[in-house]
Amino acid sequence: MTVGIYFATTTGKTEDIAERLHGLLGNANSPKDLADLNDLKEFENLEGIICGIPTWNTGADYDRSGTAWDEMLEEIGKMNLSGKKVAIFGLGDSSTYTENFCDAMEELHAFFKKAGATLVGYVNKDNYTFEESKSVVGDRFCGLPLDEDSESDLTDDRLRSWATDLKSQMPGL
Ligand SMILES: Cc1cc2nc3c(=O)[nH]c(=O)nc-3n(C[C@H](O)[C@H](O)[C@H](O)COP(=O)(O)O)c2cc1C
């Protein structure tokens, strides 16, 4: 049993972050592009799943990512992933899209929850500057938001700190 990292991307930033995170975690499988995956059955053989998702469809209620994740959401919701730990990181732009910062994370979060997974890797929102985000659940982000467009200088620290959190929250790392 092990941990897999899955991402989808339009301009490559989410893939880059998936690779950097993989380097920090050491123990997870090499990142896979969701667009190359034929079916999601392999999720069932993992102990933990880490997902990277950018936000492109600004303000949308559904299909917020504009990537391969959007077509997979219904299928994820129908799976039985109880007992699995799932963590999400999101790519966005807190300056230009400050009212919809990393909105897509929450959509993924909702469907994994529907599948019975245990979501981990929540992040304090106080260290971010933004107006609104659908990905604030309770008073925390339901994953790790990253902003390579306006705050790339903060990414290293954010990633390192999240990797440390995940090592204590996700068996198999
Ligand atoms: C047309 C367009 C729409 C975007 N919409 C949002 C948005 O609603 N919220 C957000 O946080 N970022 C938004 N972004 C920023 C992207 O999410 C960000 O550039 C991200 O790093 C892209 O990741 P990718 O290279 O993996 O596709 C948008 C960018 C563009 C060009």
Side-chain angles (χ1 to χ4, degrees), residues 8-14 54-59 91-93 97 100-102 149:
T9 182
T10 297
T11 58
K13 288 173 189 152
T14 309
T55 298
W56 280 84
N57 288 332
T58 311
L91 272 282
D93 180 345
Y97 301 97
N100 296 94
F101 181 45
C102 286
D149 297 324

Side-chain angles (χ1 to χ4, degrees), residues 56 74 124 131:
W56 280 84
E74 293 291 337
N124 192 327
E131 290 295 326

Side-chain angles (χ1 to χ4, degrees), residues 2-24:
T2 178
V3 173
I5 303 176
Y6 298 86
F7 65 89
T9 182
T10 297
T11 58
K13 288 173 189 152
T14 309
E15 177 170 13
D16 176 57
I17 296 296
E19 296 290 351
R20 286 161 70 180
L21 181 65
H22 179 243
L24 290 171

